[in-house]
Amino acid sequence: MTHPDTATHQVRGACPHDCPDTCSLLTTVSGGVAIKVQGNPAHPATAGTLCTKVSRYTERTYHPDRLQQPMKRVGAKGSGQFEPVSWGVALSDIANRLHAIAARGPDSAQAILPYSYAGTMGLVQGDSMSARFFHRLGASLLDRTICASAGAEALTQTLGGKLGMRIEFFAESKLILIWGSNPIASNLHFWRHAQEAKRRGARLICIDPRRSETAEKCHEHIALLPGTDAALALALMHELIHRDWLDHDYLAQHTLGWELMRARALQWPPERAAAVCGITPEQIRALAQAYGACRGEAGPAAIRLNYGMQRVRGGGNAVRLIATLPALIGAWRHRAGGMLLSSSGSFPVNRAALQRPDLLAGRRPRTINMSTIGDDLLRPASAEFGPAIEALVVYNSNPVAVAPDSGRVVQGFAREDLFTVVLEHFQTDTADYADYLLPATTQLEHWDVHAGYGHTDALLNRPAIAPLGQARTNTQIFRELALHMGFTEPEFTEDDQTLCGLAYGDAVDFEALLAKGFAPVTQVRAPFAQGQFPTPSGKCEFFSARLAAQGLDGLPDYLPNHEAPGSSAHYPLAMISPPARNFLNSSFVNVQSLRDIEGEPLLEMHAQDAKARGLNDGATVRVFNQRGQHHCRLVVSHRARPGVVHGLGVWWRKFGLDGTNVNQLTSQHLTDLGRAPTFYDCLVEVTTVS
Ligand SMILES: Nc1nc2c(c(=O)[nH]1)N[C@H]1C(S)=C(S)[C@@H](COP(=O)(O)OP(=O)(O)OC[C@H]3O[C@@H](n4cnc5c(=O)[nH]c(N)nc54)[C@H](O)[C@@H]3O)O[C@H]1N2
Ligand SMILES: Nc1nc2c(c(=O)[nH]1)N[C@H]1C(S)=C(S)[C@@H](COP(=O)(O)OP(=O)(O)OC[C@H]3O[C@@H](n4cnc5c(=O)[nH]c(N)nc54)[C@H](O)[C@@H]3O)O[C@H]1N2
Ligand SMILES: [Mo]
């Protein structure tokens, strides 16, 4: 139905942000202007509420700094000085530059790298026409590891996929372990169910180095050292075995490798793990008792795991261990028992239909890991690496702010001989380095269709308003670039509504999506009550033959951090940099009303560590290590335990006190599984700024 521009009406949409909640939105439009964005009360998972950030979505969309015309660099690289150009000039110049690289030889297009992540989680504006374009071109492929790949690989090796409990059933659990997760800040709609469980008498235990907003609302908080979760899980197993708090029947029928796992876990008495984790053996025994008591009638017990705890060297192994815990007590038998890290494996998305890897036509370009973009931009051509990266096309991501080891990332982006195109809403830290900066539409201005990783509903997003200024959708920009490159295949003419329809094909009722804005993708309630794990063995795999075949340990183990707490005399503090509540990664940092709440880049520190360094609350401090330094405001805080500091992320560098953010300190070391970054595996020292 179309509406006259003057009438007030509501448009159904989907929140595009990288968050487990994937909310259903209702946008009120009046006179062609979006005046309000609200949570859709008809969508059960959203239940009519939004987080503070997204309820300000109109402030972001109509921000005076929104990019509204294509721009070309005029100043020095990185100076952020641009002049407006027409779309025609921008696109033909970009096409000429890319064509010149691609035309040099059979594989020369590999010198071109697309760089994108989850600025929008939309399946269409995320990576559809863009992927077709780069496949047709033969550009390098991108290994999209920056967030979740360690945990994802661990789940796949252990449970067989990114599957788990349904979020709403946590309300019926008797014990909830909130492990490496701060739902009040980053998974608000889960917290609703946890609170409901609490009201019904459930016990909530938070396992997190930081006394987060969530930790202080739980019955108990276990503040372990970063990167020691695997040791805690092993000792928990030790106690469950030692006390015989096991569901022997479930273990025998539905798991693989239990005897091997049992032998390893028996090497981890609570005393050993407590020393590693920086907690007491009593805390571990009490945790085991609470968890063990939940087998059978006293249960069920549920674990809400989040990605916070896998951003360390042993993150993959830690997720593997925690993912097996429900099998020990048979928690999966009940729909309110088990665990959830991600439900994304429930979505039958037809990525090939959207991204058309067949356009590679038999070519096999190299793959670049997005988490080592700092080093890779600085790598010369070589036999093993292939050609140096000569052109970079960035969309849906802000790597200069979010990728680890910013010193190297900035050095890479500053290369005079690198040709960089950035598609953005705003002039971010990354956009400052663009040769061409192209204005993209926001979620209020385009079509899209969504999967999620918290709940199991597909969502549809309709445009609520016309694109602002000359902004264009990502898809339209790549369609037109394809035209300028002379790509004449019909794949480059499909419009966005057609692409939306391809995402699920027949697997989801598209008419229902169009009508309601959301539709369930599965009716499964207790996925592993009868075993039936989608692993090669059909069982929960303590032992993974697939990992063993790769020369890795088939059994999960505790792997100390690359930069283990206490291992360096120069850098005695372990720094983690979890999300700030009012930002979404680096998105929203430029929205004034939200930045006002966060104030300044902060470092939380325990009073004892502050005293030892003569640091006062509110001081400007220098946080440093061998990679760099970052100035920020010290908060002497009850949220920090001794030995651990928190640099809440992810600020734009240009809003920082000294033009940097926490990633100036993080490293490009990778995780054990999934080739992911280790943002929370980082040692630093802190002094006053003299
Ligand atoms: N408000 C807000 N919401 C967000 C985001 C945001 O930036 N802001 N980011 C979104 C994204 S991209 C993601 S991936 C998701 C999930 O993002 P996550 O990174 O899972 O974020 P949190 O849920 O905050 O959980 C992180 C928690 O893990 C803790 N932690 C850090 N290191 C360790 C450790 O070694 N062990 C344990 N046990 N805990 C540790 C941190 O202190 C923090 O409280 O959140 C999404 N939601
Ligand atoms: N130190 C530290 N670093 C971290 C993390 C951490 O916890 N600590 N978290 C990591 C995690 S979990 C993640 S997921 C990454 C996230 O890293 P990114 O995926 O890069 O996320 P954002 O920083 O939100 O940047 C997304 C950008 O995409 C743009 N965008 C949004 N929608 C569109 C669109 O439709 N079209 C175009 N062209 N652009 C759009 C937004 O304006 C925004 O600037 O950061 C990682 N970095
Ligand atoms: Mo993420």
Side-chain angles (χ1 to χ4, degrees):
M1 198 167 55
T2 55
H3 296 268
D5 245 14
T6 47
T8 297
H9 61 280
Q10 285 195 320
V11 180
R12 288 195 193 85
C15 177
H17 289 294
D18 188 351
C19 165
D21 295 18
T22 316
C23 291
S24 174
L25 306 181
L26 287 181
T27 301
T28 307
V29 182
S30 180
V33 176
I35 52 175
K36 198 174 198 178
V37 175
Q38 290 164 285
N40 182 358
H43 182 231
T46 307
T49 51
L50 291 182
C51 66
T52 316
K53 304 176 289 297
V54 177
S55 61
R56 313 273 168 98
Y57 203 79
T58 55
E59 188 181 343
R60 186 175 186 278
T61 294
Y62 294 110
H63 195 296
D65 297 342
R66 252 306 283 286
L67 299 173
Q68 301 208 19
Q69 51 193 351
M71 312 241 266
K72 184 181 164 63
R73 172 165 75 94
V74 287
K77 260 277 179 185
S79 66
Q81 289 172 293
F82 297 96
E83 67 179 19
V85 286
S86 69
W87 272 110
V89 167
L91 293 173
S92 60
D93 197 14
I94 295 166
N96 286 339
R97 294 289 298 259
L98 300 183
H99 181 77
I101 296 171
R104 273 206 307 262
D107 298 323
S108 60
Q110 294 187 100
I112 301 166
L113 177 69
Y115 194 100
S116 72
Y117 201 63
T120 170
M121 293 282 286
L123 296 167
V124 171
Q125 305 305 337
D127 219 12
S128 63
M129 207 44 84
S130 41
R132 293 178 180 192
F133 177 82
F134 292 110
H135 285 147
R136 171 67 177 76
L137 190 59
S140 284
L141 303 173
L142 187 74
D143 199 2
R144 306 175 95 239
T145 55
I146 204 155
C147 170
S149 60
E153 172 77 6
L155 283 187
T156 302
Q157 296 298 348
T158 311
L159 305 179
K162 289 173 270 178
L163 301 165
M165 286 176 63
R166 287 176 73 135
I167 206 107
E168 60 268 35
F169 298 146
F170 277 82
E172 301 165 13
S173 307
K174 294 288 176 5
L175 170 71
I176 305 179
L177 307 187
I178 299 180
W179 201 325
S181 171
N182 180 13
I184 292 183
S186 62
N187 183 195
L188 194 59
H189 294 76
F190 160 76
W191 183 243
R192 194 164 55 91
H193 299 301
Q195 275 180 304
E196 175 61 24
K198 200 175 169 190
R199 275 193 293 273
R200 297 186 195 175
R203 192 167 180 72
L204 269 50
I205 303 179
C206 185
I207 303 173
D208 191 318
R210 179 171 184 249
R211 191 160 186 84
S212 65
E213 298 86 335
T214 305
E216 57 194 7
K217 296 233 158 45
C218 289
H219 297 99
E220 255 174 76
H221 173 210
I222 301 179
L224 77 185
L225 288 167
T228 63
D229 301 270
L232 177 61
L234 283 161
L236 193 52
M237 283 188 185
H238 177 283
E239 284 303 282
L240 296 173
I241 297 164
H242 187 62
R243 308 273 175 174
D244 196 24
W245 289 327
L246 299 170
D247 184 332
H248 292 282
D249 190 46
Y250 194 91
L251 282 169
Q253 284 192 41
H254 303 309
T255 69
L256 181 77
W258 171 239
E259 282 309 313
L260 291 168
M261 186 74 254
R262 185 177 181 279
R264 182 165 288 175
L266 285 175
Q267 297 165 21
W268 282 90
E271 282 70 17
R272 180 179 175 195
V276 169
C277 300
I279 56 177
T280 66
E282 289 67 38
Q283 285 177 290
I284 300 178
R285 289 204 176 86
L287 178 64
Q289 185 159 23
Y291 196 65
C294 283
R295 71 201 192 292
E297 293 305 302
I303 302 174
R304 179 60 171 129
L305 196 62
N306 215 329
Y307 289 108
M309 46 75 61
Q310 43 110 64
R311 308 192 196 291
V312 294
R313 173 178 171 231
N317 269 270
V319 172
R320 287 201 67 213
L321 280 163
I322 297 165
T324 65
L325 290 173
L328 271 73
I329 60 165
W332 290 118
R333 291 182 188 280
H334 197 293
R335 69 180 193 177
M339 58 91 65
L340 176 68
L341 171 57
S342 169
S343 60
S344 66
S346 312
F347 291 84
V349 177
N350 190 347
R351 287 218 156 66
L354 292 171
Q355 303 182 348
R356 300 302 298 271
D358 54 297
L359 289 166
L360 283 168
R363 293 166 298 177
R364 301 188 58 179
R366 67 169 168 198
T367 299
I368 300 284
N369 187 342
M370 70 187 301
S371 302
T372 53
I373 188 66
D375 280 349
D376 288 341
L377 282 179
L378 295 171
R379 241 183 261 286
S382 70
E384 25 167 29
F385 182 63
I389 298 169
E390 288 177 61
L392 195 59
V393 182
V394 182
Y395 51 103
N396 305 334
S397 186
N398 184 11
V400 171
V402 305
D405 198 358
S406 318
R408 300 278 290 171
V409 179
V410 166
Q411 222 185 317
F413 271 84
R415 269 175 47 199
E416 279 298 336
D417 60 336
L418 181 72
F419 178 65
T420 302
V421 179
V422 177
L423 285 63
E424 252 300 349
H425 299 152
F426 295 105
Q427 192 174 332
T428 59
D429 291 334
T430 304
D432 282 341
Y433 289 87
D435 292 286
Y436 276 102
L437 179 51
L438 306 178
T441 48
T442 70
Q443 191 77 344
L444 298 188
E445 300 150 68
H446 54 227
W447 282 94
D448 220 325
V449 57
H450 288 252
Y453 60 100
H455 59 66
T456 49
D457 298 323
L459 270 73
L460 181 101
N461 185 73
R462 288 172 184 271
I465 56 170
L468 260 62
Q470 297 181 42
R472 291 187 181 169
T473 59
N474 290 346
T475 43
Q476 185 61 14
I477 295 171
F478 284 104
R479 258 182 227 113
E480 294 188 22
L481 260 184
L483 207 64
H484 282 270
M485 297 286 291
F487 299 165
T488 52
E489 291 85 348
E491 288 81 353
F492 295 107
T493 59
E494 280 174 340
D495 67 13
D496 287 2
Q497 272 175 269
T498 307
L499 292 169
C500 284
L502 291 177
Y504 289 109
D506 293 335
V508 172
D509 182 352
F510 192 63
E511 293 306 315
L513 265 184
L514 279 171
K516 273 177 72 182
F518 59 90
V521 296
T522 169
Q523 303 298 332
V524 173
R525 303 179 89 73
F528 310 128
Q530 316 292 331
Q532 297 179 322
F533 293 89
T535 51
S537 63
K539 300 184 175 197
C540 170
E541 297 198 350
F542 291 108
F543 183 84
S544 165
R546 288 182 292 181
L547 289 179
Q550 294 171 35
L552 299 169
D553 193 348
L555 275 186
D557 204 351
Y558 162 65
L559 301 177
N561 280 0
H562 292 292
E563 302 187 2
S567 67
S568 159
H570 296 300
Y571 308 117
L573 296 167
M575 185 188 80
I576 57 174
S577 46
R581 188 169 175 179
N582 294 288
F583 300 150
L584 194 292
N585 300 320
S586 78
S587 297
F588 296 99
V589 178
N590 63 328
V591 174
Q592 188 74 46
S593 71
L594 294 168
R595 195 165 73 252
D596 286 347
I597 306 176
E598 293 297 332
E600 286 178 297
L602 303 176
L603 188 80
E604 296 173 345
M605 182 186 271
H606 189 270
Q608 184 182 310
D609 288 326
K611 190 163 176 239
R613 290 167 178 76
L615 302 173
N616 295 322
D617 184 55
T620 306
V621 290
R622 183 170 81 95
V623 192
F624 64 99
N625 61 17
Q626 67 274 33
R627 288 174 290 274
Q629 61 173 15
H630 165 58
H631 289 184
C632 57
R633 187 76 54 214
L634 186 77
V635 185
V636 176
S637 171
H638 72 291
R639 296 200 189 281
R641 54 157 289 155
V644 182
V645 290
H646 319 137
L648 301 186
V650 181
W651 280 76
W652 287 17
R653 291 165 61 84
K654 59 177 110 178
F655 288 122
L657 301 183
D658 64 344
T660 66
N661 70 17
V662 281
N663 280 323
Q664 197 76 18
L665 304 162
T666 55
S667 82
Q668 294 180 69
H669 293 308
L670 300 177
T671 50
D672 51 352
L673 299 175
R675 308 163 304 282
T678 53
F679 292 113
Y680 304 170
D681 181 339
C682 176
L683 292 180
V684 299
E685 179 54 296
V686 182
T687 60
T688 45
V689 175
S690 45

